[in-house]
Amino acid sequence: MSNEHGSLIKSPKQLIIMVFASFFVPLIIILLLMVFVNNGKRVDSAASSDQIIKPVGQLNFKDASEPAAPAPAASAK
């Protein structure tokens, strides 16, 4: 009968290497992905955060004591 349930790790040295590899290999992959994503979107490095957010976060305030502008007259048919 063959050894069906044998372990791939045969020595304590192999176990230690696998424990470190199982921790550091995913960490290195995540760090490389972070560098890749951060370097991919450099359109204008001189743009400030105000210029980037302006189209989304622009607020227009109006003085409440000003009289309202007259509404455009509807054309009669």
Side-chain angles (χ1 to χ4, degrees):
M1 186 169 191
S2 65
N3 190 3
E4 293 179 21
H5 298 287
S7 176
L8 295 175
I9 300 172
K10 305 270 187 232
S11 68
K13 182 179 177 183
Q14 288 178 341
L15 177 64
I16 292 170
I17 291 171
M18 288 305 297
V19 167
F20 280 111
S22 65
F23 179 75
F24 286 112
V25 169
L27 185 66
I28 291 170
I29 291 172
I30 291 170
L31 290 173
L32 289 173
L33 284 172
M34 287 172 45
V35 169
F36 176 72
V37 168
N38 285 334
N39 287 335
K41 297 183 179 181
R42 301 284 183 204
V43 176
D44 186 14
S45 61
S48 68
S49 61
D50 293 337
Q51 293 171 341
I52 295 170
I53 297 175
K54 185 177 181 181
V56 176
Q58 184 175 8
L59 296 175
N60 295 325
F61 292 103
K62 182 179 176 186
D63 188 11
S65 63
E66 272 185 28
S75 60
K77 289 186 178 183

